Amino acid sequence: MSRVYFRSPTRTAELRGSERAWLGSLVNDIAIGVLDLRDLSRVERLRQLIHPDHYMAKRPTEGHGWLNDWASIYATAFAVGWDRSAPLIQYHGKQIDQFSLALNTAALLGSDQIKLAARLHGACEIHTWVDGPNRAWLADILQAGLDGGVYRRGIHYAAEPDHGRPEPLWVPQGWEDVVALLRERDDEPVVTSYSVTDSFPNSGVGDWMPPWPDAVPRDWNALNEQQKRERGERQDAWYDLDAGERWRISMGGLRASSDGLELKPDNWHTFRFTHELTILDLVAHDWEERLQRALIDETPAEG
């Protein structure tokens, strides 16, 4: 079972991977609702933005029941589809990542608890984090989410006991320990990681590894043998450092980053991912101007 880890230099709390999936479903359900795929005017707008080689561009739009069929398949493509050569949503050849669209829509329209769901679902594996003085603020948001039922204290799994009669097995999701961790102190950061990707701290965050060679694709197989050997030796040396030094190096990298990974009150209501667009931008009366500004006139902010 996967986990989202909340790590401090002192200790770690674990959130079950099923809860990360729940956060993703909240974000996606909001996005699908705002798309309003039973509205013909919305569908016509979305069809204008489909790459002509994407399979949704070839779906029939006539005959009995076509709209329900089209909406169902589009919703699935929005949630799981990814094709750079023929994107589901694009404007003048620029792909509009639907994952960021969903995250940004939830961040714009949602409560603090939904905003946090979007931030964790969108960036837990790349180490979104909260600084010590803001830990209590974040704990308050989490606690309100638990009290209101936005986050789940636990879920029932079907269990088969010895006597053969199914009985539910209650499994805590881990939020209570995350809240407890956040409230324990205010002088250490707490950093997230995901169990199926890199842990934290790690040698790739901070200035421990040398810069990637110029003009070389960021692919291990693109390196020559000497470059592979040098980087491998440097990575191995990471594990000779004590835990405190590894934390110092990786936290230095996070603090210096411009990726917007810190969870903080200052930009809580304005933070957006990648292109910064929401679904509301796609359906606005001035949608072309909005997409032009975000994708063509300016370089989108990284998030």
Side-chain angles (χ1 to χ4, degrees), residues 78-277:
F78 183 91
V80 303
W82 180 258
D83 187 344
R84 289 188 180 276
S85 63
L88 178 67
I89 307 174
Q90 54 92 40
Y91 179 73
H92 287 196
K94 301 285 188 178
Q95 181 167 9
I96 304 176
D97 166 37
Q98 58 253 31
F99 182 53
S100 293
L101 271 175
L103 294 172
N104 292 340
T105 303
L108 174 65
L109 299 178
S111 64
D112 285 344
Q113 290 69 41
I114 294 297
K115 285 178 170 58
L116 182 57
R119 297 292 295 272
L120 290 175
H121 182 52
C124 66
E125 60 262 67
I126 57 174
H127 315 308
T128 195
W129 63 286
V130 61
D131 213 352
N134 291 324
R135 285 168 59 159
W137 161 80
L138 190 64
D140 288 344
I141 292 175
L142 287 178
Q143 188 63 57
L146 279 174
D147 294 343
V150 179
Y151 311 139
R152 303 175 300 179
R153 296 181 185 276
I155 55 178
H156 284 104
Y157 285 96
E160 189 74 24
D162 293 340
H163 53 72
R165 187 181 68 218
E167 293 182 353
L169 176 66
W170 176 256
V171 179
Q173 292 295 82
W175 285 117
E176 283 91 345
D177 195 37
V178 175
V179 171
L181 168 65
L182 291 170
R183 294 201 189 282
E184 282 172 3
R185 55 197 300 171
D186 63 3
D187 60 343
E188 291 180 345
V190 173
V191 184
T192 65
S193 61
Y194 192 43
S195 58
V196 299
T197 54
D198 290 333
S199 184
F200 188 91
N202 69 73
S203 61
V205 181
D207 59 3
W208 179 254
M209 295 297 290
W212 195 266
D214 292 338
V216 176
R218 295 193 68 86
D219 182 340
W220 179 261
N221 293 323
L223 298 171
N224 61 39
E225 291 306 311
Q226 180 178 347
Q227 291 167 334
K228 290 179 180 178
R229 182 172 60 255
E230 291 173 349
R231 294 186 72 84
E233 291 173 352
R234 185 65 172 170
Q235 193 162 17
D236 290 342
W238 171 259
Y239 299 100
D240 295 330
L241 302 175
D242 63 41
E245 181 65 2
R246 291 198 295 267
W247 263 94
R248 185 193 68 78
I249 292 170
S250 287
M251 275 311 305
L254 284 185
R255 292 185 185 280
S257 171
S258 61
D259 290 341
L261 292 173
E262 184 183 0
L263 305 173
K264 56 184 179 180
D266 297 0
N267 67 348
W268 187 242
H269 297 292
T270 58
F271 176 86
R272 302 290 183 268
F273 289 88
T274 60
H275 48 60
E276 301 190 352
L277 293 166

Side-chain angles (χ1 to χ4, degrees), residues 54-66:
H54 193 280
Y55 64 83
M56 282 304 304
K58 303 173 176 62
R59 296 296 306 177
T61 55
E62 57 186 20
H64 179 70
W66 76 265

